[in-house]
Amino acid sequence: MGKSHIAVLLATALIAACAVAEAPVEANIKKIVEPKLAPGVKIDSVKATPYGGLYEIRAAGDIFYTDKNGEYLIMGHVFSTKTAQDLTKERIDEINKIKFSDLPLESALKLVKGDGKRVIAVFEDPNCGYCKRFRQTTLKELDNVTVYTFMYNILSEDSFAKSKNIWCAPDRNKAWDDWMINGKAAPAAAASCATPNDKILALGQKLRIQGTPAIFFADGSRIPGAADTKTLEAKFSSIK
């Protein structure tokens, strides 16, 4: 075997050894930090960052940082001084993206305005004041959009009852708008009427939706909260 081949083999072995040597750092961080988190919170991943020797910890859809020994925790966002980019927010947005086509759209209310080419999915609770304001203002002003609304009942047991009444109404979209925009409640549903309430609750929890409204776009990204028309239009423009 020639010297060049031996050199390549040695280099390959060295790289492999380094990779093996690095893995325990992440494992050790997880072992040290995870017990210090809130009960039930599990660390999804630990990885080195290019930010001054920090390690990124992903847990419960959020990101925080530590040193290589797991001695210190840093809660906050990392910004680039060159570009002013919020690097942490970009990472959070990236890890929280969904596959829009996986959403069970048959379990949502569907509203088409104009040509309906732009698409969003919104998770709303019927007792959510911000959701009502979002529907009364932003959605009223938007055009050329298809809106899939998932009734995500997280505020009270009464939310489940209201959602059932709306889902079982002859015209679901009208019943939803009557309640969210005009405050007119839907008539009581028959006990035998089946709803996707439990399915949507489980889906929202899986997607780590902690508040309503929560808006998802065709590229899988999300905006939490009642975004205004300007914000949504800017977001639509940014989607390729």
Side-chain angles (χ1 to χ4, degrees):
M1 184 180 291
K3 291 184 178 180
S4 60
H5 289 85
I6 294 174
V8 169
L9 289 173
L10 287 174
T12 303
L14 181 60
I15 291 170
C18 290
V20 171
E22 288 171 357
V25 175
E26 287 81 356
N28 190 53
I29 288 173
K30 182 176 182 179
K31 181 180 178 181
I32 293 171
V33 174
E34 193 169 73
K36 309 296 183 183
L37 304 180
V41 175
K42 300 295 183 182
I43 291 177
D44 297 319
S45 68
V46 179
K47 62 177 289 187
T49 77
Y51 320 139
L54 295 177
Y55 282 76
E56 172 196 287
I57 297 176
R58 285 177 49 188
D62 207 352
I63 286 175
F64 49 99
Y65 304 96
T66 188
D67 61 289
K68 69 177 182 179
N69 297 316
E71 293 186 62
Y72 304 96
L73 288 181
I74 303 170
M75 306 291 187
H77 284 217
V78 175
F79 289 82
S80 167
T81 56
K82 293 181 178 179
T83 64
Q85 289 173 278
D86 185 339
L87 302 174
T88 302
K89 182 180 182 302
E90 288 182 1
R91 282 287 294 140
I92 291 174
D93 289 346
E94 179 186 340
I95 67 173
N96 283 323
K97 272 193 172 185
I98 68 166
K99 190 175 181 181
F100 195 92
S101 60
D102 285 347
L103 292 175
L105 300 180
E106 72 282 355
S107 297
L109 307 178
K110 182 180 179 181
L111 170 67
V112 180
K113 299 184 69 177
D115 61 26
K117 288 183 178 179
R118 306 182 300 180
V119 181
I120 58 174
V122 188
F123 285 71
E124 299 183 76
D125 185 297
N127 286 314
C128 166
Y130 290 107
C131 301
K132 293 177 181 178
R133 190 180 310 166
F134 175 72
R135 196 155 288 269
Q136 293 164 1
T137 56
T138 304
L139 285 189
K140 183 178 179 181
E141 297 166 359
L142 279 180
D143 199 10
N144 299 324
V145 63
T146 297
V147 182
Y148 292 97
T149 301
F150 291 94
M151 292 183 283
Y152 182 49
N153 307 300
I154 57 174
L155 294 182
S156 69
E157 283 299 317
D158 177 64
S159 298
F160 282 88
K162 284 188 170 72
S163 289
K164 178 172 182 175
N165 294 340
I166 291 167
W167 184 261
C168 297
D171 187 335
R172 294 167 182 166
N173 279 310
K174 183 179 185 303
W176 182 252
D177 283 347
D178 279 348
W179 170 246
M180 298 297 279
I181 297 175
N182 303 315
K184 180 183 176 182
S192 59
C193 180
T195 76
N197 282 350
D198 291 338
K199 176 182 177 180
I200 300 309
L201 180 63
L203 173 65
Q205 291 171 341
K206 179 181 177 182
L207 298 178
R208 298 191 181 102
I209 301 174
Q210 299 177 339
T212 54
I215 309 163
F216 290 84
F217 298 85
D219 66 349
S221 61
R222 73 179 78 186
I223 292 180
D228 59 21
T229 307
K230 183 179 179 180
T231 300
L232 285 193
E233 289 291 358
K235 179 62 181 178
F236 281 130
S237 297
S238 71
I239 297 175
K240 306 301 182 182

